Amino acid sequence: MYQWRKFDFFEEKYGGKIPEDVTGDIQCCSSGRGKVVIGSNDGSVSFLDRGVKFDSGFQAHSSSVLFLQHLKQRNFLVTVGEDEQISPQQSGMCLKVFDLDKVQEEGTSSSAPECIGILRIFTNQFPEAKITSFLVLEEVPPILLIAIGLDNGYIYCVKGDIARERITRFKLQVDGRSAITGLGFRMDGQALLLFAVTPESVNLFSMQAQPPKLQTLDHIGGSVNTVTMSDRSELIVGRPEAVYFYEVDGRGPCWAFEGEKKFMGWFRGYLLCVIDDSKTGNTVFNVYDLRNRLIAYSIVVDKVSNMLCEWGNIILIKADKSLLCITEKDMESKLDMLFKKNLYTVAINLVQSQHADAAATANVMRKYGDHLYGKQDFDEAMLQYINTIGYLEPSFVIQKFLDAQRIYNLTNYLEKLHEKGLASKDHTTLLLNCYTKLKDVEKLNTFIRKEDGIGELKFDVETAIRVCRAANYHEHAMYVAKKAGKHEWYLKILLEDLGNYDEALQYVSSLEPSQAGVTIEQYGKILIEHKPKETIDILMRLCTEQGIPNGVFLSMLPSPVDFITVFVQHPHSLMHFLERYAEIVQDSPAQAEINNTLLELYLSRDLNFPSISLSENGLDKDLIDHSVAAAVSKADPEKKTNADSKDAMEKDCTERQQKGLELLKMAWPSDLEQPLYDVDLAVILCEMNSFKDGLLYLYEKMKFYKEVIACYMQNHDHEGLIACCKRLGDSSKGGDPSLWADLLKYFGEIGEDCTKEVKEVLTYIERDDILPPIIVLQTLAKNPCLTLSVIKDYIARKLEQESKIIEEDRRAVEKYQETTKNMRKEIEDLRTNARIFQLSKCTACTFTLDIPAVHFMCMHSFHQRCLGDNEKECPECAPEYRSVMEMKRSLEQNSKDQDLFFQQVKGSKDGFSVIAEYFGKGIISKTRDATS
């Protein structure tokens, strides 16, 4: 005990006399529910409030209150005291239960709580003896278990609802006839245990057994007021030589605190002892912190009659009716006291034992670490700083240990930081740099390869990879990258640092298709440069159904277009890849983009990387331009040429253009309106590379016939030009006859002798009546090299033909004039002369005509009954009449449809004849009359 340090962790909060309202001598005390309860020898019970002032009081017993206990679950007060004897044979010792929430009016000036139960302690079955101890256990309400210890070794127990007098009484006896000096209840799981202490023994009753089973734990006991219970339900017994702790299985630890123990108590993990010190003759009150092995408070006191705890204070009641309240200082004050004495270990133990929050504990450890650092005890200081991880900013510690001489301490701290998962990227960088500076490969291996049970790494992966790469620890960097699934880093090290292309290809092949596609996009350029065939094989497996499980839709596979930039300096490899893909996959969603790229590769005279189609597909043009520039500045083995290989280049160009023409035709089948490539791009490519065959095919498929013959005209290919017009100018086959007019115009403006060609053209113009002779003459007159003999026969035939037409028109005019004359005469006759109807039979039924009859001006006669309801028109002539009227309405309707008129004019060989027909039918003239 003398080795334990003494501290003033407590302080006196209040000291003074108990209020005079508390009468008589104090016999017993209890606490709970915010009040201190005092029982006196005059039978009164008094309540003191938090300010140690008299709150209330009442007369509980007529003589003396020996024991009392204020219950915590219910606001009940249980007392044991002497009342008046009913008879000389019956003791006046009673047990009473008061409900403090119910007040029973006893008079105008005072009131007392309602007494809900009174029990005579001693009866014939329970002989009278001196009561030495008393304890109440609150079971499930309203059940109480009351234990009363006697000086003859018996314990009288009362269990039940005293208010309703539903109780059972039984007694327990310990070995010998010593007084029961202390009692204590303990719940061990579902089992209820009762400690019973006598001066000669410590005993334990198992209350679950019937009858309760007795077990002697020790053959040395304790005196009155030296028995208490800890917050862990341990029995504490104070003896002159030591303080003993007891569990259910026997004696536990003991503490050698010398001196006669007057009072024992327990408060917030502290052991409270009032001790008579025989050496000094003083009575001392000590507060022991058993966990930290220190005396938290010590004070000399006068004669103490009672000790209890309430309001967070320790209350000592002295024999002279004075009272002393002792309260615990706050943690900050206690720590400041220890810091001033540099007792950091004590401070750490203190905060840990009192379950302070982790931040407060870390703060104490930080101060201890600072103290040790100031004493240059760096190893111990680091141990303290490590304990602050998670609460102290790591940079505070790291700055202190950046010196090269303290790199081992810094390494240790950074390791712990990573173990707790609190390291940042900078911390990982610093730790790995420490390992590399120390050349500690073993620790580096341990750090890199250590697993935490779920396969994750406790550091920033990319930082670790970068540091290991920079220090040439490539194997370590690759291990981290592979384990963390950082495939791009793994390949970057293999390709850029180690140049191990075969292993890189194997690694890519082992990845999931989606991951392999991403890595190929990033590092495919290097792989294509060094391993083109193997890389293309991998791309084929990714983009096709080769090696892909059944049921995977083609649309879910990567598109070859996604990997085009990989071939930015290797167009031959790109062409080979796309050709292989097109052979296997016929209906790719990206077929148009693939064909566009192949066309650019096929049609280019100098095989460069396709940039037009890629820029149209949304790829980065700056990247393409940069790559093409790099390809030009850097000699590519695929593009090396010299003067001796010009023929080979021309042959290669011809073969590729032939492939391009085949692709143009194959990708535009006759059943499709639009091709499986970009037509505009294809036209541009053919024009840029002077690929005439492709351009002609595209113009013809697009029905740009005039552009087709324009190509022949540019090349002065007269024979091809006429053959083209024969193929494309035949209107019976859907051609455009106007091409012959364009061809005639071409020969008229060419300025050279082309008699043969002109005669052939005139044959088709005459056959299809494409141009009037006057236009032909005007067109050919522009060519000074042509003579009249070229068109002599054509003009003669056209004049003869026109003469025949004129003669036919003259006869038709005479016929129409004769018909018109007859019509006018008939109309005049109908207007001026009477009609004589001489028919004797009905036109409808052919029976003899009788009255009533109907005669029409058309000379048809009918029975009225044969006409029915329609008497206004002749049934015989009505169809012809309606046909004429329908034609008239149609002509009137057509006169309003201008689009139809112009369409007929434009589509007719002779537009003038259409206009003449409109005038002849009176459509145009009638329209003018209507508008005017």
Side-chain angles (χ1 to χ4, degrees):
M1 181 181 68
Y2 297 107
Q3 297 177 356
W4 286 22
R5 296 175 181 269
K6 290 185 179 182
F7 298 95
D8 290 332
F9 290 163
F10 288 76
E11 61 184 352
E12 295 184 22
K13 182 178 181 182
Y14 174 82
K17 290 289 185 177
I18 293 176
E20 295 181 356
D21 298 286
V22 179
T23 60
D25 295 333
I26 298 175
Q27 294 290 321
C28 54
C29 297
S30 180
S31 63
R33 304 181 71 91
K35 292 182 180 180
V36 171
V37 188
I38 298 175
S40 304
N41 62 353
D42 60 358
S44 64
V45 172
S46 304
F47 293 89
L48 303 183
D49 61 13
R50 183 177 290 273
V52 197
K53 297 188 181 189
F54 181 79
D55 180 80
S56 62
F58 69 95
Q59 192 71 29
H61 295 271
S62 59
S63 179
S64 176
V65 180
L66 300 179
F67 298 93
L68 58 80
Q69 183 172 338
H70 194 181
L71 305 187
K72 298 184 183 302
Q73 294 184 22
R74 290 167 291 174
N75 196 15
F76 285 2
L77 179 67
V78 182
T79 64
V80 174
E82 295 184 23
D83 284 313
E84 295 181 357
Q85 290 183 330
I86 299 176
S87 64
Q89 292 79 17
Q90 191 172 6
S91 172
M93 194 67 65
C94 293
L95 183 145
K96 294 184 179 181
V97 179
F98 296 93
D99 187 347
L100 301 181
D101 292 330
K102 297 179 180 179
V103 178
Q104 181 179 359
E105 296 292 337
E106 292 185 349
T108 57
S109 60
S110 64
S111 62
E114 181 180 350
C115 179
I116 61 175
I118 300 177
L119 181 67
R120 295 287 178 177
I121 296 176
F122 302 118
T123 64
N124 293 332
Q125 291 80 15
F126 297 89
E128 183 175 0
K130 182 180 179 182
I131 300 175
T132 54
S133 58
F134 172 75
L135 186 61
V136 180
L137 173 67
E138 295 182 82
E139 293 190 355
V140 179
I143 306 302
L144 299 178
L145 177 56
I146 302 172
I148 303 172
L150 306 176
D151 63 351
N152 58 4
Y154 279 93
I155 303 172
Y156 291 170
C157 296
V158 180
K159 182 175 182 180
D161 185 357
I162 297 178
R164 298 183 180 180
E165 297 183 356
R166 297 176 181 176
I167 60 173
T168 58
R169 300 183 62 170
F170 57 92
K171 54 187 175 181
L172 308 174
Q173 183 179 11
V174 300
D175 295 336
R177 300 189 61 83
S178 300
I180 304 299
T181 56
L183 296 170
F185 284 111
R186 171 171 176 157
M187 291 299 299
D188 191 9
Q190 296 296 325
L192 175 62
L193 305 175
L194 174 62
F195 288 104
V197 181
T198 69
E200 288 81 21
S201 64
V202 176
N203 305 276
L204 179 68
F205 288 96
S206 177
M207 305 298 286
Q208 300 300 110
Q210 293 297 330
K213 183 180 178 181
L214 173 64
Q215 177 185 357
T216 301
L217 302 180
D218 200 351
H219 292 286
I220 304 175
S223 59
V224 177
N225 294 328
T226 62
V227 179
T228 189
M229 297 290 290
S230 72
D231 51 11
R232 293 185 299 176
S233 296
E234 300 168 302
L235 180 70
I236 306 174
V237 179
R239 301 191 185 106
E241 73 281 3
V243 174
Y244 298 88
F245 283 70
Y246 290 90
E247 290 283 353
V248 295
D249 54 354
R251 182 193 295 179
C254 70
W255 304 89
F257 304 143
E258 296 182 355
E260 183 180 357
K261 313 303 184 295
K262 294 296 184 181
F263 285 92
M264 298 283 294
W266 189 266
F267 175 74
R268 294 180 179 175
Y270 293 104
L271 176 65
L272 311 179
C273 291
V274 177
I275 303 174
D276 280 346
D277 190 348
S278 58
K279 295 181 179 179
T280 61
N282 295 327
T283 300
V284 182
F285 171 66
N286 289 336
V287 180
Y288 296 101
D289 186 346
L290 302 179
R291 180 175 298 180
N292 297 314
R293 296 179 178 270
L294 57 86
I295 300 175
Y297 188 69
S298 181
I299 185 175
V300 176
V301 295
D302 294 334
K303 200 178 228 186
V304 177
S305 61
N306 286 279
M307 180 173 68
L308 66 157
C309 301
E310 185 60 36
W311 311 312
N313 300 327
I314 303 169
I315 302 172
L316 300 178
I317 298 177
K318 303 177 184 179
D320 58 356
K321 295 186 69 172
S322 62
L323 180 144
L324 178 64
C325 286
I326 300 171
T327 186
E328 185 177 9
K329 295 180 179 178
D330 59 70
M331 181 62 71
E332 185 177 356
S333 300
K334 291 189 283 187
L335 292 177
D336 287 341
M337 184 188 310
L338 296 173
F339 292 155
K340 291 177 182 179
K341 299 179 181 181
N342 293 328
L343 297 175
Y344 293 96
T345 55
V346 178
I348 294 172
N349 293 333
L350 181 65
V351 294
Q352 290 177 343
S353 65
Q354 297 197 359
H355 306 291
D357 62 272
T361 305
N363 184 52
V364 176
M365 292 178 175
R366 179 192 66 80
K367 291 186 176 183
Y368 188 26
D370 293 344
H371 173 70
L372 294 172
Y373 186 87
K375 295 171 62 177
Q376 296 187 350
D377 189 352
F378 302 116
D379 294 340
E380 289 297 324
M382 180 52 72
L383 291 177
Q384 299 304 318
Y385 288 135
I386 287 174
N387 290 327
T388 66
I389 292 176
Y391 303 96
L392 179 63
E393 175 60 39
S395 59
F396 174 82
V397 179
I398 292 172
Q399 288 178 354
K400 290 177 175 286
F401 291 87
L402 284 177
D403 193 289
Q405 296 178 354
R406 295 189 280 278
I407 190 172
Y408 291 99
N409 298 119
L410 179 60
T411 303
N412 186 22
Y413 180 80
L414 293 170
E415 287 174 347
K416 299 298 183 184
L417 202 61
H418 281 81
E419 286 179 6
K420 295 186 178 182
L422 299 174
S424 66
K425 296 179 181 180
D426 295 333
H427 300 147
T428 302
T429 303
L430 187 57
L431 177 58
L432 292 175
N433 283 328
C434 289
Y435 286 150
T436 55
K437 290 260 172 106
L438 294 171
K439 299 189 182 302
D440 194 340
V441 180
E442 182 179 353
K443 276 197 170 184
L444 183 60
N445 286 334
T446 303
F447 178 77
I448 292 296
R449 301 179 185 274
K450 182 170 59 176
E451 298 184 358
D452 63 356
I454 57 175
E456 296 182 357
L457 299 169
K458 292 184 176 181
F459 50 81
D460 185 76
V461 172
E462 293 191 5
T463 301
I465 294 172
R466 282 196 294 267
V467 174
C468 289
R469 277 190 76 196
N472 293 324
Y473 287 96
H474 297 117
E475 293 297 327
H476 296 80
M478 288 170 59
Y479 174 84
V480 174
K482 187 172 184 179
K483 184 175 181 183
K486 299 291 184 180
H487 311 299
E488 64 279 5
W489 278 103
Y490 190 88
L491 289 171
K492 194 177 186 69
I493 298 168
L494 277 176
L495 297 174
E496 297 181 4
D497 298 339
L498 303 179
N500 194 339
Y501 307 109
D502 292 328
E503 185 178 347
L505 287 169
Q506 292 177 3
Y507 184 77
V508 172
S509 300
S510 67
L511 297 176
E512 293 290 330
S514 59
Q515 297 173 341
V518 173
T519 53
I520 286 290
E521 287 181 14
Q522 292 179 329
Y523 300 104
K525 296 176 186 177
I526 301 176
L527 293 173
I528 284 292
E529 182 177 356
H530 295 88
K531 297 287 181 180
K533 182 179 180 302
E534 294 81 354
T535 306
I536 290 176
D537 290 341
I538 293 176
L539 287 174
M540 287 300 297
R541 287 197 298 272
L542 287 176
C543 298
T544 65
E545 295 179 332
Q546 299 176 357
I548 303 298
N550 292 331
V552 176
F553 295 102
L554 189 63
S555 59
M556 298 174 63
L557 298 174
S559 171
V561 179
D562 299 336
F563 304 104
I564 288 180
T565 53
V566 170
F567 300 87
V568 71
Q569 297 180 16
H570 308 279
H572 273 291
S573 297
L574 174 59
M575 186 168 63
H576 177 57
F577 168 55
L578 294 179
E579 287 175 344
R580 286 184 59 185
Y581 179 83
E583 289 176 3
I584 296 175
V585 181
Q586 303 297 332
D587 53 353
S588 170
Q591 194 64 48
E593 290 84 351
I594 295 171
N595 290 338
N596 290 340
T597 306
L598 279 174
L599 284 175
E600 191 165 354
L601 292 168
Y602 287 154
L603 301 182
S604 175
R605 300 195 64 84
D606 296 327
L607 187 55
N608 291 323
F609 185 77
S611 58
I612 297 178
S613 59
L614 293 186
S615 62
E616 289 182 353
N617 290 332
L619 299 180
D620 192 346
K621 189 175 184 303
D622 294 337
L623 171 63
I624 296 168
D625 294 342
H626 174 74
S627 302
V628 173
V632 174
S633 62
K634 178 180 178 182
D636 187 344
E638 295 181 352
K639 296 173 59 181
K640 286 184 177 179
T641 60
N642 50 47
D644 298 333
S645 63
K646 285 185 178 180
D647 293 339
M649 290 182 61
E650 286 296 328
K651 182 180 178 181
D652 176 68
C653 179
T654 303
E655 291 177 352
R656 285 189 286 103
Q657 288 187 342
Q658 187 60 34
K659 287 184 179 180
L661 182 59
E662 293 175 358
L663 179 59
L664 288 174
K665 295 179 179 179
M666 181 183 66
W668 198 341
S670 58
D671 58 336
L672 290 182
E673 183 178 351
Q674 293 296 327
L676 298 176
Y677 51 80
D678 188 338
V679 179
D680 296 334
L681 173 65
V683 171
I684 293 172
L685 290 173
C686 291
E687 289 182 346
M688 288 177 58
N689 296 282
S690 303
F691 185 41
K692 176 184 174 183
D693 293 343
L695 199 58
L696 290 175
Y697 173 77
L698 291 171
Y699 282 156
E700 186 172 339
K701 288 291 290 184
M702 298 164 66
K703 300 188 183 304
F704 291 172
Y705 299 145
K706 295 185 183 296
E707 282 77 3
V708 174
I709 64 173
C711 291
Y712 287 102
M713 291 175 181
Q714 289 177 0
N715 296 326
H716 299 282
D717 185 359
H718 296 173
E719 183 179 354
L721 187 57
I722 292 176
C724 178
C725 283
K726 289 179 181 179
R727 188 175 72 257
L728 304 179
D730 191 349
S731 60
S732 63
K733 298 180 180 180
D736 184 5
S738 66
L739 295 178
W740 292 108
D742 295 334
L743 187 55
L744 185 68
K745 181 180 179 182
Y746 167 73
F747 286 128
E749 296 176 350
I750 195 173
E752 62 182 49
D753 189 5
C754 49
T755 302
K756 178 183 176 182
E757 291 84 355
V758 170
K759 287 183 177 181
E760 188 172 1
V761 171
L762 288 176
T763 301
Y764 290 97
I765 290 177
E766 182 182 1
R767 185 192 70 180
D768 296 334
D769 196 16
I770 297 173
L771 291 175
I774 187 63
I775 300 299
V776 173
L777 288 172
Q778 291 174 351
T779 301
L780 295 179
K782 297 178 182 179
N783 190 342
C785 298
L786 296 177
T787 62
L788 185 60
S789 60
V790 176
I791 60 171
K792 177 180 177 181
D793 295 338
Y794 166 76
I795 293 297
R797 289 191 299 272
K798 293 299 290 185
L799 289 175
E800 183 180 357
Q801 183 180 359
E802 292 293 334
S803 297
K804 291 181 179 179
I805 293 173
I806 291 172
E807 181 62 24
E808 292 176 356
D809 290 343
R810 186 186 62 79
R811 288 196 295 268
V813 168
E814 290 177 354
K815 179 181 177 181
Y816 289 145
Q817 287 177 346
E818 182 67 22
T819 302
T820 303
K821 182 179 178 182
N822 292 333
M823 287 183 179
R824 287 176 178 174
K825 183 180 178 181
E826 184 178 359
I827 292 170
E828 182 65 22
D829 185 49
L830 289 173
R831 287 178 177 177
T832 58
N833 299 321
R835 284 279 187 177
I836 299 174
F837 300 99
Q838 297 179 346
L839 288 179
S840 59
K841 294 183 179 182
C842 175
T843 304
C845 65
T846 68
F847 288 106
T848 303
L849 193 65
D850 55 9
I851 299 173
V854 179
H855 304 278
F856 292 97
M857 300 298 292
C858 60
M859 303 307 295
H860 293 131
S861 300
F862 298 90
H863 291 115
Q864 188 176 15
R865 63 179 177 274
C866 292
L867 290 176
D869 295 332
N870 188 8
E871 298 180 357
K872 294 183 178 181
E873 60 181 4
C874 175
E876 292 292 327
C877 301
E880 183 179 358
Y881 174 74
R882 281 195 291 268
S883 176
V884 172
M885 294 305 295
E886 183 66 28
M887 185 182 300
K888 181 179 179 182
R889 282 193 297 270
S890 176
L891 291 174
E892 291 176 354
Q893 184 67 28
N894 290 340
S895 67
K896 301 177 183 179
D897 191 348
Q898 299 180 4
D899 293 337
L900 177 63
F901 169 72
F902 288 111
Q903 183 178 356
Q904 291 178 354
V905 172
K906 185 176 180 181
S908 175
K909 295 180 180 180
D910 187 3
F912 179 78
S913 62
V914 175
I915 298 174
E917 182 182 0
Y918 267 71
F919 273 105
K921 294 178 179 179
I923 298 175
I924 294 179
S925 60
K926 185 173 182 179
T927 304
R928 287 180 178 175
D929 291 343
T931 56
S932 62

